[in-house]
Amino acid sequence: GQQLNQSPQSMFIQEGEDVSMNCTSSSIFNTWLWYKQDPGEGPVLLIALYKAGELTSNGRLTAQFGITRKDSFLNISASIPSDVGIYFCAGQLLGSWGKLQFGAGTQVVVTP
Amino acid sequence: DVKVTQSSRYLVKRTGEKVFLECVQDMDHENMFWYRQDPGLGLRLIYFSYDVKMKEKGDIPEGYSVSREKKERFSLILESASTNQTSMYLCASSATGTANEKLFFGSGTQLSVL
């Protein structure tokens, strides 16, 4: 499958800090999505992006679909303890019908 | 509340055993998927199905097979388990049409092959 490069691999942050992570690829994606996995659970969809340049928010989360269609960014503002988990980017290639390529994930740890 | 249910949270099997992982969804979704999750590798697609009795290979199908006899149920089969199949297995489903990229995941099955 296509390679999605997600960084950073892990982050240790203090409560109240902002968090940024990104995903890049050599391929052009039709759709970018961001999922969060809580400990012991399956991933849950946070944000879906469909157009180049699109900026979408979900509460304290903001994600952007890169202009080149080869990257995406997720920002979390004013982190709280429940933000802990693994965040995955996922991309859907044009015509790949529901099949997603996932990044390796960013482990976020929030300390009080 | 929508739900994807995986039959086992933890499984321990021996090398060479035949292993069945079961997944059921209650959302009447057409599409179902099996992924495996390994640290540093993210989620990798094993098999998927877009209809009853239909199946397609994903990126890493070797050593696995699947069965979809009913719309709500998608089974992953390890014909002869090996230690390199120790992993977290995640089942997911999605609707057909414009929302097909929005996956709903189960809680996962942690499989250990000894």
Side-chain angles (χ1 to χ4, degrees):
Chain A
Q2 301 298 322
Q3 190 81 13
L4 290 187
N5 300 307
Q6 185 172 351
S7 65
Q9 188 173 7
S10 61
M11 316 183 67
F12 292 80
I13 58 173
Q14 284 200 316
E15 188 174 352
E17 284 186 14
D18 296 344
V19 175
S20 292
M21 61 193 78
N22 69 81
C23 221
T24 62
S25 174
S26 57
S27 298
I28 292 174
F29 284 91
N30 194 43
T31 304
W32 282 96
L33 306 104
W34 287 91
Y35 285 82
K36 182 195 177 194
Q37 184 178 32
D38 289 327
E41 299 295 330
V44 173
L45 181 64
L46 298 173
I47 293 178
L49 303 158
Y50 300 99
K51 294 181 184 177
E54 180 181 353
L55 188 71
T56 297
S57 293
N58 178 6
R60 293 176 297 105
L61 278 62
T62 302
Q64 184 163 24
F65 194 139
I67 292 292
T68 65
R69 299 175 66 186
K70 294 182 179 181
D71 57 5
S72 181
F73 305 85
L74 176 70
N75 295 315
I76 306 171
S77 63
S79 58
I80 59 177
S82 62
D83 290 334
V84 68
I86 305 175
Y87 292 78
F88 291 100
C89 63
Q92 183 182 36
L93 295 167
L94 185 64
S96 66
W97 171 90
K99 284 177 60 178
L100 301 181
Q101 301 295 331
F102 281 84
T106 295
Q107 173 78 60
V108 173
V109 177
V110 181
T111 57
Chain B
D1 202 12
V2 297
K3 212 164 175 68
V4 177
T5 303
Q6 294 184 231
S7 55
S8 304
R9 198 62 180 257
Y10 301 97
L11 274 180
V12 180
K13 297 292 181 181
R14 295 205 177 275
T15 301
E17 278 193 74
K18 189 169 186 176
V19 182
F20 293 86
L21 302 184
E22 305 287 348
C23 176
V24 177
Q25 51 96 3
D26 66 359
M27 295 168 280
D28 200 35
H29 282 168
E30 290 78 10
N31 312 320
M32 295 189 75
F33 306 82
W34 276 105
Y35 286 86
R36 65 177 281 177
Q37 180 180 5
D38 299 288
L41 296 177
L43 279 65
R44 293 179 292 166
L45 182 63
I46 305 171
Y47 266 96
F48 64 101
S49 168
Y50 52 89
D51 202 352
V52 175
K53 297 193 186 294
M54 305 301 286
K55 61 183 179 183
E56 295 283 343
K57 292 180 180 179
D59 298 320
I60 52 165
E62 296 78 20
Y64 304 95
S65 63
V66 290
S67 173
R68 186 137 182 233
E69 296 297 318
K70 293 184 178 181
K71 187 177 185 180
E72 67 271 18
R73 187 179 298 270
F74 193 34
S75 304
L76 180 68
I77 304 156
L78 286 66
E79 293 290 340
S80 177
S82 63
T83 55
N84 63 12
Q85 292 178 310
T86 291
S87 186
M88 170 69 80
Y89 290 86
L90 289 164
C91 175
S93 71
S94 72
T96 274
T98 55
N100 66 70
E101 75 285 352
K102 295 183 178 177
L103 303 185
F104 293 85
F105 284 89
S107 296
T109 296
Q110 179 64 54
L111 174 66
S112 297
V113 182
L114 307 178

